[in-house]
Amino acid sequence: VPSRRVLQAGPPEAIFFQPALSMMKLLTLLLLLPSAAAFVGTPSWSGARARTAAVATARARTAPTMGSFVTHFEELPVDTGRGVSMIDITTSIKDIVTKTGVKEGVVTIISKHSTCSIMLNEWEMRFVDDARHFLLKLAPREGHYLHNDLDYRVGPPGYGGHDDQAVADEEWRVMRQGQPVNAHSHLISFVVGNSEAVPIHEGKLTIGQFQNIIVVDADGPVGNVGSAKTRTICVQVQGSD
């Protein structure tokens, strides 16, 4: 037969004193906690607060302080060459960043032209020639492009600020006759991209040893006709000094 535990009730006075004894045990335990904590090395509440404050103070001493916010914009004129040409502007961008005094931030470089691009790559002259030939293979100058049919280009409404659309169309017709057949230049710019953003850390550009900021002009004059262009590159630096 399985054994059973039988709960026997004690005398009435024992039942009466049990809650009181439990309360006394709880109070005694609470009184002993601080000394027990000190004995085993457990931090007291006041000690923990002191250590937390000390750590926060140490971190405040070592953490870098943020300077004031700086934003700077300027336009950089860049003289380019004939055909598809590439110009290294890394030094100019570094000089602009240094001038602003920004230590942590970003510099954005963008071309204001639809046939002129910005890229990050190695500045080694044999590679530069390789890149030029590669881009011209992607979009050959001699290819057939709808954009090159100058007589079929449609101008925007009110071109030249004219309310009379007939006058606007005539001004557009005269203008487009002097435009180059440069669809390939637009396509090259489309592939390379018009802008780059470079992080600034400790006042320096975070580019690699073999990375340069390069302007790619895909719409320079061809042959002996025309003169080289001056392209406008926008540079904006933002960050803290």
Side-chain angles (χ1 to χ4, degrees):
V1 178
S3 60
R4 291 182 299 170
R5 294 183 60 188
V6 179
L7 300 178
Q8 296 182 350
E13 59 272 16
I15 297 174
F16 176 78
F17 284 110
Q18 281 180 358
L21 289 172
S22 299
M23 184 61 69
M24 290 179 64
K25 289 179 181 179
L26 178 61
L27 290 174
T28 303
L29 179 62
L30 291 175
L31 291 173
L32 291 176
L33 273 176
S35 57
F39 177 77
V40 299
T42 304
S44 62
W45 289 110
S46 59
R49 283 196 296 268
R51 275 183 285 275
T52 301
V55 170
T57 302
R59 287 177 178 171
R61 290 196 193 102
T62 57
T65 57
M66 294 297 293
S68 57
F69 178 76
V70 176
T71 181
H72 172 80
F73 173 87
E74 69 176 83
E75 292 185 345
L76 179 67
V78 177
D79 295 330
T80 59
R82 311 187 76 82
V84 176
S85 62
M86 299 187 180
I87 309 296
D88 181 13
I89 61 169
T90 308
T91 300
S92 298
I93 301 302
K94 286 181 178 179
D95 291 343
I96 293 173
V97 171
T98 300
K99 177 174 63 178
T100 65
V102 168
K103 302 301 181 185
E104 302 294 331
V106 64
V107 56
T108 304
I109 308 102
I110 184 171
S111 165
K112 292 186 71 174
H113 311 277
S114 59
T115 57
C116 183
S117 306
I118 305 293
M119 76 173 182
L120 283 175
N121 220 305
E122 183 175 1
W123 185 254
E124 190 276 319
M125 298 315 300
R126 295 177 67 84
F127 167 74
V128 170
D129 285 339
D130 288 337
R132 292 173 56 253
H133 290 298
F134 171 76
L135 292 173
L136 285 171
K137 285 181 180 178
L138 287 180
R141 184 181 295 108
E142 298 78 13
H144 176 70
Y145 305 102
L146 299 178
H147 181 72
N148 290 346
D149 293 331
L150 300 180
D151 290 337
Y152 292 95
R153 289 187 188 178
V154 178
Y159 178 78
H162 300 290
D163 294 331
D164 187 336
Q165 190 58 41
V167 177
D169 289 342
E170 178 61 19
E171 185 169 332
W172 168 260
R173 186 190 68 79
V174 173
M175 186 278 300
R176 75 187 181 208
Q177 296 306 313
Q179 291 296 296
V181 285
N182 62 353
H184 70 288
S185 304
H186 290 280
L187 294 173
I188 289 174
S189 181
F190 167 77
V191 171
V192 177
N194 287 97
S195 67
E196 292 286 353
V198 180
I200 302 168
H201 177 57
E202 296 180 348
K204 298 179 180 179
L205 300 178
T206 58
I207 55 177
Q209 180 181 0
F210 298 107
Q211 282 184 314
N212 292 71
I213 303 170
I214 302 171
V215 173
V216 182
D217 188 352
D219 196 23
V222 179
N224 297 322
V225 179
S227 57
K229 300 178 179 180
T230 298
R231 298 298 205 166
T232 301
I233 307 301
C234 296
V235 183
Q236 185 169 57
V237 182
Q238 290 183 314
S240 61
D241 55 14

